Amino acid sequence: MKQFAGTATLAAMALAAGIATAAAQDSIKVGVIQPLTGAFAASGNYVANGAKIAADEINAKGGVLGKKLELVIEDNKSNPTEAAAVAEKLIVRDKVPVIMGAWGSGFTLAIMPKLMEYKVPMLVETSSAGKITTSGNPYIFRISPPSAVEAVAFAKIVDKLKIGKADFLVVNNDWGRGAAEDFGKMFKQHNIQVGLVETMDPPAQDMSAQLAKIKASDADTLIITTAVEQLTLIFKQAAALGLKKRIITTGGSQNPDQLIEQAGAAANDTTHITFFTPWNPNVSADPAMAKAFIAEWNKRGYPFAGLTESFRGYDGIRTIAAAITKAGKADPEAIRAAFWQIELNGMNGKIKFEKAGPAGQESGQSNPGIYLIKIENGKVVLPSV
Amino acid sequence: MAGPTPEGHVDQFLQHLLNAVMLGGTYALLGIGLTLIFGIMRVVNFAHGELYAFGAYTVYLVAAALGLNFFLGLAAAVIAGALLGALIEVVLLRPMRSADIDTVMLVMIGAWIVMQNTELFVWGGVAKAIVTPFPDAPLVIGPVSISWLRVFVVAAALLLIVASDLLIHRTKLGKAMRATFQDAETAALMGVNIKGIFTATFAIGSALAAAAGALLGPVFLVTPTMGDLASLKAFAIVILGGLGNITGATIGGFILAFVEEIGAGYISSGYRDAMGFLIIILVLLFKPTGLFARAERVG
């Protein structure tokens, strides 16, 4: 009897192990690293939810290579150290062959050495610091526009805006300083003078000092690069100081609906460079896909304001799925090679990776389109420029 | 590249000065609560910033989510802050009375993490804005302008500072608090209820932090991580003014605001926060007990 029990246990264990193996074979794991808690929790959760919609959609159509796409979502806690730690966990313990992440440029940069170490590719969905694709990391494939690409796209319309002289107010990190540099360079080529370049710490809440200085300058336009929380504060504080200059924001993390709700009248007459236009999906690169995504987002009860972030997760997972399909197997090196060959429609243009960075170890960079929107009387309008 | 005119320079300086006064009042309020708790209880309160966030969320709950009166929200935040502070003292700190300062510090770091994540769980990560009854159009005085809300915030902060000073120097509770600060054992022998004093001190300190959050929540935005920066500033102010020194914390708050504002305006905005900490390093090097060490310390 004792022996029987032992055999039965063994059989059960073997069965359980078999089921576990079968389950593992039935799915392809994709690592997702986003700030789900901490300062950027709101944006990170939007991107993660967009990623889930893409995965559910793909799985409903039969998955990838006949297997289910399984997202393993990890929290970088809005902290670069955590970002590197969870990347290692995803690669070593979960054995994911590809990762999507990690929202902020600082988090992405912290993960990059781990990708080199373990030879696993990462799709970058949001970060826009230039050096992510120029530092010679062949495991990086980026679908978000770095500020240099954004500046080049903006150059096509900048003459029509008739800017004489511009001041900058940017967040003091790779993202903000990079934007000031790239837009400043582009402005000079278009005979637009560059005045003050003021910075603010990422968690700073009181920008009155910088704004008082900008108020006293003779520039007619103020270019701002930071995320929605700080923009809300800047608009309110600029209104309190009576600052009357044209304001243009860059970077695509402005979340215009949240600005309208929280900054109120102070957000009126501001102009924003965005990468997705949920207010008018018809101008998107693939209107039918955009409409379907927006409908699913609403159906799941997520806030409309999150769409300007969540589409990045949606496009990112679809790009990864396309690469795995092309690779024919869930193997890091095969997926890395496949990223170079794929071409698909994103919400803001064709996703196709071009070589960026030093020869021999190039990163992939896709060059999406940008959209200019304006807030007028508490509404988002798409000016025709 | 023509710079501002000479009048422009004067106007800019006046605006910086006004901004510094506005910021200083709230910095002082943050510092007082923290210094009071350290001075009397020898507790390094890492949860101070979370009580600040708690105050802000209470106003949001009352004024925005429930749609009640904004000033009622402020009052509710102060009372709720005091009650939460008393609860923390009784549950977490009272059993730790004989533990050393490092152990208590770890407990407070734990409280900080739990409170911050509870806020994230309850309210989500999206920043909340509180609408106030004050007009959007700023108050314009000649070349400078300021929002009405900030004028109110500074007035309320100064009122609270004066009220805490009166409480400590003019009431029986204040006298008992000062006696406990000087020598807890002797005070106990004289019939002071030390346990009660500790609870009252932590409740008052917490209420001040909640009041600062309630006043600044509408000025800025309410987020689960808003307390981190507040904690950092509060510790800076307390070190500047001397640990346990209420007058020092008040003046320290204004000094920090002035240094940050002028530093950001005329030296480099990227180093705005570094300016404040540069001053702190200098204070620690040359006057390690704080700028106002010889001034009166809670009594």
Side-chain angles (χ1 to χ4, degrees):
Chain A
M1 191 67 197
K2 215 174 183 181
Q3 203 178 4
F4 170 74
T7 317
T9 315
L10 209 66
M13 275 169 68
L15 207 66
I19 289 163
T21 325
Q25 278 169 351
D26 282 336
S27 71
I28 294 174
K29 285 183 178 176
V30 172
V32 174
I33 303 174
Q34 289 293 316
L36 304 178
T37 57
F40 306 112
S43 300
N45 281 294
Y46 289 149
V47 175
N49 287 333
K52 282 182 203 160
I53 291 178
D56 291 347
E57 216 175 87
I58 291 162
N59 289 336
K61 287 181 189 156
V64 177
L65 305 174
K67 292 172 186 174
K68 267 196 172 348
L69 209 58
E70 183 192 342
L71 301 184
V72 186
I73 301 172
E74 289 290 345
D75 180 11
N76 67 28
K77 301 182 187 159
S78 304
N79 173 342
T81 317
E82 286 289 336
V86 294
E88 187 147 27
K89 181 254 171 195
L90 282 173
I91 296 168
V92 175
R93 204 186 305 163
D94 297 312
K95 306 218 176 330
V96 300
V98 58
I99 295 173
M100 180 182 90
W103 201 78
S105 294
F107 315 142
T108 300
L109 286 164
I111 292 171
M112 283 168 58
K114 297 284 172 203
L115 305 175
M116 294 282 261
E117 188 182 342
Y118 296 105
K119 304 194 187 324
V120 169
M122 179 160 95
L123 183 124
V124 179
E125 85 296 333
T126 307
S127 315
S128 54
K131 68 181 179 194
I132 289 172
T133 41
T134 57
S135 66
N137 188 321
Y139 297 95
I140 286 289
F141 294 86
R142 170 153 70 176
I143 58 169
S144 52
S147 38
V149 170
E150 202 184 335
V152 168
F154 187 54
K156 292 173 195 156
I157 43 176
V158 75
D159 292 333
K160 293 179 191 151
L161 295 173
K162 303 210 186 320
I163 302 169
K165 183 173 178 182
D167 288 337
F168 284 89
L169 177 58
V170 299
V171 61
N172 196 6
N173 59 23
D174 294 314
W175 176 37
R177 287 193 308 265
E181 199 176 301
D182 292 323
F183 277 80
K185 221 183 284 170
M186 185 271 284
F187 281 172
K188 281 176 190 150
Q189 287 163 1
H190 288 255
N191 294 318
I192 296 166
Q193 286 185 32
V194 174
L196 300 168
V197 178
E198 295 297 316
T199 60
M200 56 210 162
D201 263 6
Q205 295 193 311
D206 195 327
M207 275 65 71
S208 302
Q210 289 92 325
L211 290 167
K213 195 171 168 186
I214 288 163
K215 183 187 173 189
S217 93
D218 60 346
D220 50 54
T221 301
L222 172 61
I223 307 289
I224 310 176
T225 306
T226 188
V228 56
E229 292 83 4
Q230 224 163 20
L231 279 177
T232 309
L233 296 171
I234 291 170
F235 289 174
K236 283 162 95 175
Q237 288 162 18
L241 289 176
L243 185 115
K244 288 181 183 64
K245 290 176 201 276
R246 167 166 44 193
I247 291 177
I248 301 174
T249 76
T250 84
S253 282
Q254 305 97 334
N255 211 330
D257 297 288
Q258 195 172 323
L259 282 178
I260 292 168
E261 191 197 320
Q262 302 197 335
N268 280 339
D269 301 316
T270 54
T271 304
H272 311 269
I273 300 172
T274 64
F275 308 142
F276 181 46
T277 53
W279 314 277
N280 184 1
N282 286 322
V283 303
S284 162
D286 189 337
M289 179 173 73
K291 281 176 195 165
F293 175 64
I294 295 168
E296 180 63 25
W297 183 260
N298 291 333
K299 204 178 112 193
R300 295 189 182 200
Y302 299 136
F304 182 83
L307 279 163
T308 48
E309 289 286 343
S310 67
F311 87 94
R312 304 171 189 272
Y314 183 77
D315 273 354
I317 293 301
R318 287 174 50 252
T319 308
I320 286 176
I324 298 173
T325 308
K326 186 87 189 171
K329 54 181 171 178
D331 167 73
E333 183 50 39
I335 294 171
R336 189 189 74 81
F339 269 130
W340 289 112
Q341 299 163 24
I342 55 168
E343 208 181 299
L344 68 153
N345 264 344
M347 295 288 188
N348 50 13
K350 193 194 289 169
I351 295 173
K352 185 179 187 309
F353 294 106
E354 315 262 349
K355 289 185 170 177
Q361 40 189 353
E362 294 99 340
S363 306
Q365 173 68 57
S366 181
N367 294 307
I370 63 163
Y371 306 91
L372 202 64
I373 62 134
K374 202 170 173 197
I375 296 175
E376 278 176 8
N377 297 320
K379 291 253 181 330
V380 173
V381 294
L382 278 75
S384 50
V385 280
Chain B
M1 278 205 23
T5 55
E7 302 87 68
H9 279 301
V10 175
D11 294 351
Q12 190 191 336
F13 182 73
L14 287 174
Q15 184 73 57
H16 282 313
L17 215 57
L18 185 63
N19 289 349
V21 172
M22 296 291 137
L23 194 59
T26 44
Y27 275 2
L29 199 57
L30 265 175
I32 291 174
L34 190 67
T35 212
L36 192 68
I37 289 170
F38 182 83
I40 292 174
M41 301 175 68
R42 301 279 137 189
V43 167
V44 184
N45 185 13
F46 279 101
H48 198 68
E50 293 319 309
L51 283 148
Y52 169 83
F54 178 75
Y57 274 114
T58 308
V59 175
Y60 175 77
L61 176 71
V62 174
L66 300 179
L68 299 173
N69 185 286
F70 170 71
F71 300 99
L72 186 74
L74 290 181
V78 177
I79 294 163
L83 291 176
L84 182 65
L87 185 75
I88 292 173
E89 203 281 330
V90 172
V91 175
L92 293 179
L93 294 173
R94 190 167 286 182
M96 306 286 295
R97 184 73 25 84
S98 53
D100 64 22
I101 194 164
D102 298 341
T103 315
V104 178
M105 217 188 287
L106 286 174
V107 169
M108 294 320 288
I109 289 174
W112 163 28
I113 295 169
V114 168
M115 289 171 75
Q116 186 167 100
N117 283 284
T118 307
E119 279 147 18
L120 182 66
F121 182 73
V122 173
W123 299 104
V126 180
K128 309 279 185 205
I130 300 168
V131 179
T132 66
F134 295 96
D136 281 340
L139 166 65
V140 180
I141 315 159
V144 297
S145 77
I146 197 84
S147 76
W148 283 100
L149 175 62
R150 297 203 82 162
V151 176
F152 166 75
V153 165
V154 165
L158 292 176
L159 195 73
L160 280 165
I161 292 168
V162 172
S164 359
D165 190 68
L166 289 178
L167 177 85
I168 286 160
H169 291 105
R170 296 277 187 277
T171 65
K172 210 172 167 201
L173 175 67
K175 197 181 240 179
M177 283 165 75
R178 281 180 289 144
T180 311
F181 170 67
Q182 283 175 357
D183 189 333
E185 278 178 25
T186 312
L189 289 174
M190 299 298 154
V192 174
N193 176 0
I194 301 289
K195 277 187 184 174
I197 291 299
F198 280 155
T199 309
T201 303
F202 206 84
I204 292 167
S206 299
L208 288 173
L215 289 171
L216 283 186
V219 174
F220 301 129
L221 286 172
V222 186
T223 67
T225 49
M226 68 187 291
D228 291 355
L229 195 67
S231 265
L232 199 66
K233 301 277 182 200
F235 276 104
I237 294 155
V238 168
I239 294 167
L240 209 57
L243 292 164
N245 185 333
I246 289 196
T247 317
T250 310
I251 301 171
F254 282 99
I255 291 178
L256 185 67
F258 186 77
V259 169
E260 281 185 7
E261 184 75 26
I262 296 300
Y266 294 100
I267 303 172
S268 159
S269 51
Y271 290 94
R272 175 179 185 144
D273 287 331
M275 306 288 171
F277 288 101
L278 189 72
I279 299 286
I280 288 160
I281 292 171
L282 293 176
V283 168
L284 287 176
L285 279 176
F286 297 108
K287 220 161 179 308
T289 47
L291 282 177
F292 310 99
R294 261 191 291 161
E296 169 190 46
R297 301 173 52 127
V298 195

